[in-house]
């Protein structure tokens, strides 16, 4: 929170300037259900570090974690500075009706629009941590064994696909697509066994509503015939098997919304440019992954695409690098946090200029003349020699 010194111009001599971080005030943090502890505490730490008072709203879809936070936070933290409000839609709506100095929301784009609309009534700034369809581009030079392991753990090993930065679909060079499916399938068996339902390492779908949504995506006429692996489901236990689909039509529902589950479409492309064009024709994702050994491919994808974050030859790990800002762009969100970026997110950077009563330059005051104008121009350009010439009447 120490002031950050910045330089001033000669025209303001003598003076000093600094940027002073100050708390925004009272902020609202609305957390998501898929990482209910992390996505509540991570922004809370940044908000408190910046000096704000915080109201935390945990997700009602993770009731055990919500209850834990409601019990422990008042026990360990100052209740006048941090408090927890539990509840569902009605409680969240009541909170959004209040005037806040900042709202930090993690969740879906649909709810984010409601949050932003409520914030606009008070001109409240918002940070929206959303999601989108995160692509993984794989070219023919990639090490498929390593790539498949990293994609599999980023997709199915990460809440069974219920994560905003899980790979949503793959764009693969057509020359490797069959080898890719074969390697992904063997990787799944290596990770979760012949019957993934029995694996202790594979999550279930969070609730019946999301199970039904994912089932409808799978059973859509344009999609069900494209399944090349998996597809099994168990409604009673909210289980959907890791599922791979090949060349799903681009207008299928599964390709029009964030999947947020264990379904992974693979689309074939002929060139990297075709993959890049596919990505850029759609809303900007929260994360983008590219697997290649070719520097030229890395450079093209980095230069010609836009995403909240990008990882080369891996998935998701940018999330754990504290010096990297984490956040979206466009429809995948606005604002970023993690590490020092969390502090900055919840701070106002106040500009401060300090001057004394010494050296009051009369040329800045009316009545104005051509002489004063020439002096001011020289001052703004730090043209010391020009100032002397103007004073001597030798410069026009």
């Amino acid at each position: 929170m120490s002031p950050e010194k910045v330089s001033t111009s000669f025209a303001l001599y003598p003076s000093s300037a600094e940027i002073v971080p100050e708390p925004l005030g009272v902020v609202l943090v609305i957390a998501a259900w898929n990482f209910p502890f992390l996505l509540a505490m991570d922004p809370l730490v940044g908000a408190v570090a910046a000096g704000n008072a915080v109201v935390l709203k945990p997700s009602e879809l993770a009731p055990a974690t919500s209850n834990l936070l409601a019990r422990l936070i008042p026990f360990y933290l100052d209740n006048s500075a941090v408090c927890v409000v539990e509840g569902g839609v009605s409680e969240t709506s009541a909170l959004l009706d209040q005037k806040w100095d900042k709202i930090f929301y993690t969740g879906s784009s649909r709810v984010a629009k409601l949050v932003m609309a409520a914030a606009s009534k008070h001109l409240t700034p918002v940070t929206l941590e959303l999601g989108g369809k995160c692509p993984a581009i794989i070219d023919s030079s990639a090490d498929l064994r390593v790539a498949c392991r990293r994609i599999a753990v980023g997709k199915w090993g990460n809440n069974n696909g219920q994560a905003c930065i899980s790979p949503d679909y793959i764009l693969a060079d057509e020359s490797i697509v069959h080898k890719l499916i074969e390697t992904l399938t063997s990787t799944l068996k290596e990770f979760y066994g012949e019957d993934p339902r029995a694996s202790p390492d594979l999550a279930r779908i969070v609730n019946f509503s999301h199970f039904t949504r994912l089932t409808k995506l799978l059973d859509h006429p344009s999609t069900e015939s494209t399944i090349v692996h998996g597809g099994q489901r168990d409604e009673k236990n909210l289980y959907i098997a890791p599922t791979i689909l090949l060349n799903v039509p681009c207008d299928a529902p599964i390709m029009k919304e964030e999947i947020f589950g264990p379904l992974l479409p693979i689309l074939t492309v002929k060139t990297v440019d075709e993959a890049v064009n596919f990505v850029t024709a759609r809303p900007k994702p929260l994360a983008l992954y590219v697997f290649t050994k070719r520097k030229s491919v890395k450079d093209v994808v980095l230069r010609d695409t836009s995403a909240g974050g990008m990882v080369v030859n891996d998935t998701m790990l940018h999330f754990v690098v504290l010096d990297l800002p984490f956040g979206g762009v466009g429809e995948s969100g606005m604002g970023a946090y993690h590490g020092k970026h969390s502090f900055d997110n919840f701070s106002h950077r106040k500009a401060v200029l300090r001057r004394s009563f010494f050296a009051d330059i009369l040329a800045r005051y009316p009545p104005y003349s051509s002489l004063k104008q020439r002096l001011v121009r020289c001052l703004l350009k730090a043209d010391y020699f020009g100032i002397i010439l103007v004073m001597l009447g030798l410069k026009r």
Side-chain angles (χ1 to χ4, degrees):
M1 300 185 79
S2 298
E4 175 188 337
K5 297 290 185 181
V6 297
S7 61
T8 61
S9 69
F10 173 75
L12 301 181
Y13 179 85
S15 65
S16 64
E18 60 191 12
I19 301 169
V20 179
E22 63 179 15
L24 294 174
V26 182
V27 303
L28 173 65
V29 174
I30 304 175
W33 54 262
N34 56 333
F35 294 92
F37 188 82
L38 173 68
L39 297 180
M41 295 303 295
D42 202 342
L44 176 65
V45 167
V48 171
N52 298 280
V54 187
V55 172
L56 173 64
K57 169 60 181 67
S59 174
E60 70 277 13
L61 298 184
T65 304
S66 178
N67 180 259
L68 179 78
L69 292 169
R71 286 188 292 110
L72 294 187
I73 284 179
F75 184 79
Y76 287 104
L77 298 180
D78 182 354
N79 290 341
S80 66
V82 182
C83 72
V84 179
V85 175
E86 290 191 279
V89 174
S90 60
E91 288 79 7
T92 304
S93 298
L95 286 171
L96 289 173
D97 285 338
Q98 312 307 310
K99 187 179 187 306
W100 305 94
D101 296 299
K102 178 81 179 249
I103 298 175
F104 187 106
Y105 168 77
T106 304
S108 70
S109 297
R110 179 184 62 81
V111 177
K113 293 175 183 177
L114 302 175
V115 171
M116 201 166 182
S120 69
K121 296 176 183 177
H122 303 290
L123 296 180
T124 299
V126 296
T127 293
L128 303 177
E129 295 292 338
L130 310 178
K133 297 185 74 63
C134 301
I137 298 172
I138 308 178
D139 93 326
S140 58
S141 70
D143 183 326
L144 285 185
R145 177 63 175 156
V146 175
C148 287
R149 292 173 70 91
R150 293 175 179 178
I151 289 172
V153 78
K155 178 69 171 181
W156 297 289
N158 187 34
N159 276 359
N160 207 3
Q162 298 168 101
C164 55
I165 53 175
S166 284
D168 190 274
Y169 64 95
I170 292 174
L171 295 168
D173 188 288
E174 63 181 4
S175 66
I176 62 165
V177 69
H178 295 295
K179 181 65 175 176
L180 171 65
I181 293 171
E182 179 185 319
T183 309
L184 262 179
T185 302
S186 66
T187 300
L188 283 169
K189 291 178 180 178
E190 177 188 344
F191 284 4
Y192 305 114
E194 291 291 338
D195 181 11
R197 187 183 335 224
S199 171
D201 300 316
L202 195 66
R204 298 302 185 257
I205 307 306
V206 66
N207 56 32
F208 181 74
S209 173
H210 280 278
F211 180 89
T212 302
R213 178 185 63 82
L214 290 164
T215 298
K216 287 181 179 178
L217 293 180
L218 264 185
D219 291 342
H220 192 273
S222 63
T223 304
E224 57 182 353
S225 62
T226 66
I227 297 172
V228 294
H229 178 81
Q232 301 83 7
R233 76 284 306 259
D234 177 356
E235 180 179 311
K236 181 180 178 182
N237 293 299
L238 298 179
Y239 167 80
I240 297 178
T243 302
I244 302 170
L245 308 98
L246 179 61
N247 286 330
V248 177
C250 293
D251 59 352
I254 198 172
M255 291 305 299
K256 289 190 170 183
E257 65 176 74
E258 183 179 7
I259 295 171
F260 223 72
L263 320 178
L264 183 61
I266 298 175
L267 307 180
T268 57
V269 293
K270 291 180 169 57
T271 65
V272 171
D273 286 339
E274 184 182 346
V276 166
N277 291 336
F278 188 93
V279 172
T280 55
R282 287 155 178 78
K284 297 175 181 179
L286 182 59
L288 187 151
Y289 309 114
V290 56
F291 292 84
T292 180
K293 293 178 180 177
R294 299 188 179 107
K295 183 179 183 300
S296 60
V297 172
K298 301 173 192 175
D299 292 344
V300 165
V301 175
L302 177 61
R303 183 191 67 218
D304 294 344
T305 64
S306 178
M310 177 177 166
V311 182
V312 178
N313 293 330
D314 214 321
T315 63
M316 305 189 64
L317 292 184
H318 63 303
F319 185 88
V320 300
V321 181
L322 289 183
D323 288 333
L324 285 177
F326 179 80
V329 58
E331 293 184 26
S332 59
M334 60 182 69
Y337 72 125
H338 284 188
K340 172 64 160 49
H341 305 286
S342 295
F343 174 88
D344 293 338
N345 190 303
F346 289 101
S347 298
H348 167 62
R349 289 165 61 82
K350 181 165 62 179
V352 179
L353 176 69
R354 303 180 191 274
R355 298 204 67 208
S356 72
F357 291 108
F358 174 70
D360 197 24
I361 300 171
L362 299 181
R364 62 184 288 207
Y365 303 123
Y368 297 114
S369 66
S370 60
L371 174 63
K372 286 184 176 181
Q373 187 180 52
R374 292 196 300 273
L375 277 172
V376 169
R377 282 178 174 170
C378 290
L379 283 168
L380 293 176
K381 295 177 181 177
D383 182 1
Y384 314 122
F385 185 62
I387 293 171
I388 296 172
L389 293 178
V390 170
M391 296 301 293
L392 294 174
L394 301 175
K395 182 179 176 68
R396 289 194 169 276

